[in-house]
Amino acid sequence: VIDSQRQMTDLLFTEKDLITSLKDYITAEQSKLERVKKWAEKMDALSVTATQDPEGFLGHPVNAFKLMKRLNTEWAELESLVLSDMSEGFVSNLTIQRQHFPNDDDQVGAAKALMRLQDTYKLDTSVMASGDLPGETHLGLSRLTVDDCYDLGKVAYSEADYFHTELWMSQALQQLEGGEEPASAAADAVTILDYLSYSIYQQGELERALEYTRQLLRLDSTHQRANGNLKYFEYQLDKQKKVEEDEKKEEDDEEGTVREEEKTKGERGTADYLPERRKYEQLCRGEGIKMTPRRQSRMFCRYFDNNRHPKFVIAPVKEEDEWDRPHILRYHDIVSDAEIELVKQLAKPRLRRATISNPITGVLETAHYRISKSAWLTSYEHKVVDKINQRIEDITGLDVTTAEELQVTRWQNYGVGGQYEPHFDFGRKDEPDAFKELGTGNRIATWLLYMSNVSSGGATVFTDVGAAVLPKKGSAVFWYNLFPSGEGDYRTRHAACPVLVGNKWVSNKWIHERGQEFRRRCPLAWQL
């Protein structure tokens, strides 16, 4: 399964190699045809001259010898040239590389990723098809063809997702009617209209389904399924109208509810959307809860020296309040570009699918919803890792010797757009063994370092309070997962939004309770 940016990058270079091989094959074929053409032209000129006076031509002994030689040897050589297979090198290369190609599951996964991004960021289908996404720099190279839109509609149809089937088949039809020629014979107007009429019928819109069926039959009056659907839709529509006439008042009362359900379905493509999911998507789109002016007035930027820490007296760090409850802080320009590149290079060879702590066993394991690759770096591996760890301790005032190793994570927009579902970093009361394996207590705080800018998407959102933190290269955000009493702060439930355009690098440092007894004291009076 293709599920990492590195694999996707390798595929790009594999395709480049195949294109080079294909060009070599074309060049070889052209060279071969050029040789055949020259031979034919030479023979044509010779034949014209010879056949004008055959006896005189063959009267010359050299001409007689050369005729025998041509027919016995040279035409045989020409036959070998014509029969020679110039495609052997290209076909061989293609066969070797095919073992690294994506499979059907990968293609379906990528299609679902596009539709999920479309839903999360409420992107119009025509915008997606044009490739003109926020932050996009490869305009013209990223547009979807008629065939692409048709294939996306087919994936949605196979998943019984008739909402997205309609969206993408409509886009395919629009581009087809706009004069775009499909590369595949399958993506013709009749087939697209067939998918459209059925998907619309499945969404309960009989009149529109009937109209598309009639449009299909105007193109192909012999279409068997469409003729059957026409009679069925007309029958169902007549039946519906009779019911409406007989029970008009009752239908009027219910109409508002039906329309509201359809509206919800239209916005999401599914009727069973969880409230948290809706809030998550709103936050990813920048539609979060706005602070009151009074709360906003208490948010500041400042130079922070951590109680005159020796390292920060002369060069304090830039500290900014991102949110007040819970208190989320951002520290600007914490790491340099050179340090970031070093960390990336250390992490790249070891990137593996991201893990979570099993709430029952406490063992780290992969989760299907964490679409990212992670690597763990220890402080003794390179001085840059040790420097970053020490910097975290100097700024937060917390002991990082009992913290987890630095986790470097790479998100990509391939494969569901790279996202984490909403989660807590700390172990809850119903997860007593969440971090038992580590033996350092619960996760008291989280340090999240952004190691790249993201063209579009990729925010960190806190679904319980409505906060959204945007990635900014070289900055880090910090928050406490636990109250001073040791109780979990459920307001810290958070998630990463899918990356719409670009890639996202972050590193996490989860700081644990052990070692913080005299650094973050539990108050004598009970408090949260």
Side-chain angles (χ1 to χ4, degrees):
V1 177
I2 309 296
D3 64 351
S4 80
Q5 185 68 20
R6 183 176 179 180
Q7 287 172 294
M8 292 293 288
T9 303
D10 289 344
L11 288 178
L12 273 180
F13 284 99
T14 295
E15 187 174 50
K16 183 180 179 182
D17 178 57
L18 286 173
I19 292 168
T20 301
S21 180
L22 179 60
K23 285 182 176 179
D24 290 342
Y25 160 64
I26 293 169
T27 301
E29 285 285 8
Q30 288 174 334
S31 175
K32 168 183 161 182
L33 287 173
E34 191 61 31
R35 289 171 63 190
V36 172
K37 183 181 177 182
K38 285 181 178 179
W39 168 267
E41 289 173 348
K42 184 178 75 171
M43 288 299 99
D44 184 49
L46 181 64
S47 178
V48 168
T49 302
T51 54
Q52 286 178 349
D53 181 13
E55 289 186 10
F57 181 82
L58 292 174
H60 196 296
V62 171
N63 289 341
F65 165 75
K66 291 187 72 173
L67 175 62
M68 295 294 180
K69 178 176 178 290
R70 280 198 306 274
L71 292 173
N72 182 56
T73 306
E74 294 181 19
W75 276 98
E77 290 173 353
L78 180 67
E79 181 184 19
S80 297
L81 175 62
V82 171
L83 292 175
S84 63
D85 187 1
M86 299 298 174
S87 67
E88 185 178 349
F90 169 69
V91 172
S92 175
N93 189 20
L94 183 62
T95 303
I96 293 170
Q97 298 292 0
R98 187 176 281 118
Q99 61 184 313
H100 305 297
F101 282 11
N103 56 29
D104 289 343
D105 289 339
D106 292 315
Q107 185 175 334
V108 169
K112 290 181 181 179
L114 278 180
M115 288 182 267
R116 192 150 40 237
L117 286 170
Q118 182 181 15
D119 288 344
T120 300
Y121 293 105
K122 278 192 176 179
L123 296 171
D124 187 76
T125 313
S126 60
V127 172
M128 293 280 286
S130 70
D132 188 15
L133 302 178
E136 176 57 49
T137 56
H138 297 91
L139 296 179
L141 298 176
S142 306
R143 64 179 300 276
L144 296 170
T145 64
V146 170
D147 302 87
D148 296 331
C149 296
Y150 172 75
D151 288 337
L152 284 166
K154 279 181 63 180
V155 169
Y157 183 83
S158 68
E159 298 289 318
D161 179 359
Y162 301 113
F163 171 73
H164 285 104
T165 304
E166 179 194 350
L167 289 181
W168 287 105
M169 288 299 177
S170 295
Q171 182 62 33
L173 185 64
Q174 181 182 328
Q175 291 180 210
L176 197 64
E177 291 174 343
E180 185 180 331
E181 289 291 332
S184 168
D188 64 341
V190 170
T191 306
I192 292 170
L193 285 166
D194 193 20
Y195 276 108
L196 260 177
S197 62
Y198 185 75
S199 61
I200 290 169
Y201 160 70
Q202 285 290 343
Q203 294 178 81
E205 299 183 55
L206 274 171
E207 289 189 19
R208 289 183 61 224
L210 183 60
E211 177 53 39
Y212 277 116
T213 304
R214 287 170 175 160
Q215 190 177 338
L216 187 162
L217 289 170
R218 284 195 288 272
L219 297 174
D220 182 5
S221 60
T222 62
H223 197 285
Q224 187 175 354
R225 184 167 49 249
N227 277 301
N229 287 344
L230 179 68
K231 295 176 182 177
Y232 179 73
F233 292 161
E234 287 176 338
Y235 167 75
Q236 288 292 334
L237 199 57
D238 288 340
K239 185 178 176 182
Q240 182 177 302
K241 286 178 178 177
K242 286 177 182 177
V243 171
E244 287 175 356
E245 289 171 3
D246 295 340
E247 304 176 3
K248 189 173 186 306
K249 189 177 185 304
E250 184 179 342
E251 286 295 316
D252 286 342
D253 293 339
E254 294 178 359
E255 188 178 357
T257 305
V258 171
R259 284 183 177 171
E260 185 60 35
E261 288 174 357
E262 288 178 355
K263 180 182 177 184
T264 303
K265 185 174 184 179
E267 289 176 351
R268 310 201 173 277
T270 180
D272 56 352
Y273 237 63
L274 297 174
E276 186 180 49
R277 183 74 185 180
R278 185 179 294 114
K279 192 171 184 179
Y280 163 76
E281 292 183 351
Q282 288 173 340
L283 289 169
C284 289
R285 292 192 296 269
E287 301 169 5
I289 298 170
K290 304 301 180 185
M291 280 190 181
T292 62
R294 185 171 182 176
R295 284 177 67 188
Q296 188 67 46
S297 67
R298 297 171 184 158
M299 308 292 285
F300 295 100
C301 297
R302 63 187 73 82
Y303 284 105
F304 176 73
D305 62 11
N306 197 8
N307 294 320
R308 298 188 64 76
H309 189 287
K311 290 184 179 179
F312 305 132
V313 172
I314 296 176
V317 295
K318 303 170 190 172
E319 184 184 70
E320 178 184 0
D321 295 319
E322 283 281 353
W323 203 257
D324 56 351
R325 299 190 297 270
H327 197 194
I328 304 170
L329 293 163
R330 188 195 290 266
Y331 296 97
H332 295 272
D333 304 321
I334 291 302
V335 291
S336 67
D337 288 351
E339 289 173 322
I340 287 173
E341 287 309 310
L342 267 171
V343 171
K344 285 182 180 180
Q345 293 308 315
L346 289 169
K348 279 179 181 178
R350 286 180 285 171
L351 288 172
R352 299 290 183 271
R353 193 72 176 266
T355 59
I356 61 168
S357 175
N358 186 301
I360 299 173
T361 64
V363 176
L364 293 174
E365 56 187 36
T366 59
H368 68 90
Y369 58 81
R370 291 201 165 185
I371 314 298
S372 61
K373 292 280 183 173
S374 296
W376 299 85
L377 302 180
T378 57
S379 57
Y380 57 78
E381 289 185 64
H382 196 283
K383 63 181 181 181
V384 70
V385 181
D386 188 46
K387 282 174 66 178
I388 290 173
N389 286 338
Q390 187 59 53
R391 205 168 296 158
I392 295 170
E393 179 166 321
D394 293 339
I395 292 171
T396 63
L398 298 174
D399 185 353
V400 299
T401 58
T402 58
E404 294 172 49
E405 303 298 349
L406 192 70
Q407 186 196 45
V408 180
T409 304
R410 182 176 191 171
W411 306 86
Q412 63 279 336
N413 54 14
Y414 170 75
V416 310
Q419 66 185 44
Y420 273 5
E421 296 296 329
H423 63 282
F424 299 103
D425 281 349
F426 64 89
R428 276 82 69 208
K429 287 184 177 179
D430 57 348
E431 304 168 349
D433 297 330
F435 303 106
K436 183 178 180 181
E437 193 179 59
L438 300 176
T440 52
N442 212 340
R443 286 174 173 170
I444 192 173
T446 295
W447 174 276
L448 176 60
L449 173 64
Y450 295 111
M451 301 199 301
S452 68
N453 293 313
V454 179
S455 299
S456 186
T460 305
V461 297
F462 293 75
T463 53
D464 190 65
V465 297
V469 180
L470 299 175
K472 184 182 177 185
K473 187 177 182 180
S475 73
V477 291
F478 173 79
W479 67 87
Y480 281 104
N481 296 306
L482 307 179
F483 290 108
S485 63
E487 293 289 317
D489 188 346
Y490 285 83
R491 300 172 302 178
T492 61
R493 186 169 175 80
H494 61 284
C497 295
V499 175
L500 181 58
V501 177
N503 293 285
K504 175 183 170 186
W505 283 86
V506 299
S507 59
N508 294 287
K509 191 72 174 177
W510 285 298
I511 304 169
H512 283 248
E513 290 177 295
R514 187 70 53 82
Q516 320 308 335
E517 293 84 354
F518 298 102
R519 297 186 182 226
R520 194 194 190 211
R521 297 174 183 271
C522 180
L524 293 175
W526 173 264
Q527 69 175 57
L528 294 179

